Amino acid sequence: MTSLWRRSIPQRSAGIGLWQGIIEFLALASVITNGLVITFTSQFVDKLVYKHSNGSFEGYIDTITTLSPYNGTIAGYKDCYYRGIRDEEGEFTKLYFEIYLGKLAFFVAFEHFVFLVKFIVMALIDNVPKCKFFLECAHLCSLEYFGIVFYYYFVFCWGFQGVRILRKR
């Protein structure tokens, strides 16, 4: 395989091309995934909704746990509680639906806030760095005329890495 295929010849491009869309999609998917994980694995929203509806946290543990409907002969399993907001018949209570509506609202607010911050940062930061812009200008113009100005600019902007870039051109 290594003798039949050669590495492609590198070519210059103006940007990252197709990868821009892929990176933006991954950012979108990660915000949604992280928002869902934060919303549905933590009890933050559960506690907020319970405190808002009852005024305090008294009885919170008794409300979010339900007695298991086990009717077997093993004595240790008679009084087993599990996490579930249900009544004695096993039906969901009104608090259950309030909590999940609160979780949905929290997810939408969290997701919109993160996207707002993302778009503000994208608006504030240019796609082309200033140092790269001046590097392209130096390449287009004659380096003899602007040589000393660009030399000190690259030392300031890029350190001695900028000097190596100028010497390669």
Side-chain angles (χ1 to χ4, degrees):
M1 184 171 164
T2 58
S3 62
L4 297 176
W5 297 95
R6 294 180 63 186
R7 181 177 164 199
S8 61
I9 298 170
Q11 299 175 357
R12 288 189 176 259
S13 65
I16 60 174
L18 180 66
W19 287 102
Q20 179 75 25
I22 294 170
I23 292 171
E24 287 178 4
F25 172 75
L26 287 175
L28 173 87
S30 67
V31 167
I32 292 172
T33 304
N34 289 333
L36 289 171
V37 167
I38 289 169
T39 301
F40 289 103
T41 59
S42 70
Q43 293 184 4
F44 174 72
V45 178
D46 301 8
K47 291 179 180 179
L48 282 177
V49 170
Y50 185 82
K51 187 174 181 182
H52 179 71
S53 64
N54 292 345
S56 69
F57 286 119
E58 287 185 33
Y60 173 71
I61 299 297
D62 295 332
T63 304
I64 66 165
T65 56
T66 304
L67 183 62
S68 175
Y70 178 73
N71 292 330
T73 58
I74 301 174
Y77 292 107
K78 284 283 187 191
D79 296 329
C80 182
Y81 287 87
Y82 66 96
R83 190 180 188 293
I85 306 167
R86 298 175 183 255
D87 57 8
E88 290 81 21
E89 290 84 31
E91 299 293 325
F92 292 117
T93 62
K94 179 183 172 192
L95 182 63
Y96 173 83
F97 294 108
E98 289 175 357
I99 287 175
Y100 273 89
L101 186 62
K103 285 185 177 191
L104 179 64
F106 177 78
F107 169 70
V108 169
F110 172 79
E111 176 244 347
H112 278 68
F113 174 74
V114 171
F115 283 139
L116 177 70
V117 169
K118 177 186 166 236
F119 289 127
I120 289 172
V121 169
M122 284 177 60
L124 293 176
I125 298 174
D126 289 333
N127 287 340
V128 179
K130 292 179 183 175
C131 291
K132 185 176 179 182
F133 174 73
F134 282 111
L135 180 63
E136 291 170 358
C137 288
H139 181 65
L140 295 175
C141 301
S142 68
L143 287 175
E144 291 80 22
Y145 183 71
F146 295 108
I148 194 71
V149 174
F150 281 113
Y151 179 81
Y152 286 114
Y153 180 77
F154 282 113
V155 169
F156 176 75
C157 240
W158 291 48
F160 288 104
Q161 182 182 1
V163 175
R164 281 184 290 217
I165 291 171
L166 283 175
R167 287 183 184 161
K168 284 182 184 178
R169 293 186 180 251

